[in-house]
Amino acid sequence: MAITLNSGFKMPIVGLGVWRMEGKQIRDLIINAINIGYRHFDCAADYRNEAEVGEALSEAFRTGLVKREDLFITTKLWNSDHGHVVEACKDSLKKLQLDYLDLYLVHFPVATKHTGVGTTDSALDEDGVLDIDTTISLETTWHNMEELVSLGLVRSIGISNYDIFLTRDCLAYSKIKPAVNQIETHPYFQRDSLVKFNQKHGICVTAHTPLGGAAANVELFGSVSCLEDQVLKDLAKKYNKTAAQIVLRWGIQRNTVVIPKSSKLERLKENFQVFDFELTKEDMDLIKTVDKKQRTNQPAKFWGIDLYA
């Protein structure tokens, strides 16, 4: 099951995020996921594991497990490389051992002090606050993203963590419209207005943290997981599914792409088994009622500044 992007390319509606995956774990994760049926992998320079992902992909191609054209590979431009878009993209391609990307995203709508292409550092100033570069506009960054399409390095380009204001601006100054806006959205942070605004203007929404972060974000940010919500647990019983499967199916029925992450084989399988049932309109409406407007991914913890303030 896939969504056709405004660039004309198809994006599988379920993907696998590789944030916080390391070493040999990555190889097993990618190979197992491909065997299960995953064809969409969501990477980022900032995850600092593109080289390991590249090794796994190379093995998958070399052994005939899958062809390059069967996969949809996303990675992202880090904040410190806004002034070096082409070089950063080429660096990611080299690490991933790919000739082209299916999708390249601006990871966050902020340029920060350059620390060397691909280093993905978040330099802090003397006050311990993110060292933001005020000389590079998002418009300049976007036009450099558009150049990647002209160079044949990238098939589709998009944005990530953009609100309505920034997305509207991007639509106004872009020659190539963003194909995707990847945002945090899940039952506890539904952001219906932002989702609908993007979809109205032909931008596909990808839900990062589609399960509300679960254990990873509870550990990192002290957030509350929506998977423990009684409404969702009751729906899981009703459909004979897990709460995670209910949440992913809800995301799919909103016409959003979902990219859950897991290093556990059983969870990988479970997260992909979401195409054999459908939530009723009444149950979709019921899930609307659990929204807490609760963001779980809080980079302020590392940056000393709340960019969402």
Side-chain angles (χ1 to χ4, degrees), residues 195-249:
V195 170
K196 287 179 177 175
F197 177 84
N198 279 276
Q199 291 174 338
K200 177 181 179 180
H201 292 280
I203 302 171
C204 171
V205 171
T206 295
H208 75 66
T209 327
L211 299 175
N217 281 11
V218 170
E219 174 194 333
L220 260 185
F221 306 113
S223 54
V224 178
S225 172
C226 66
L227 299 183
E228 297 303 316
D229 191 279
Q230 195 57 51
V231 168
L232 297 173
K233 288 165 86 171
D234 289 345
L235 286 173
K237 287 180 185 175
K238 175 181 175 180
Y239 288 90
N240 195 27
K241 293 288 180 179
T242 65
Q245 288 172 319
I246 295 296
V247 170
L248 293 173
R249 184 68 209 183

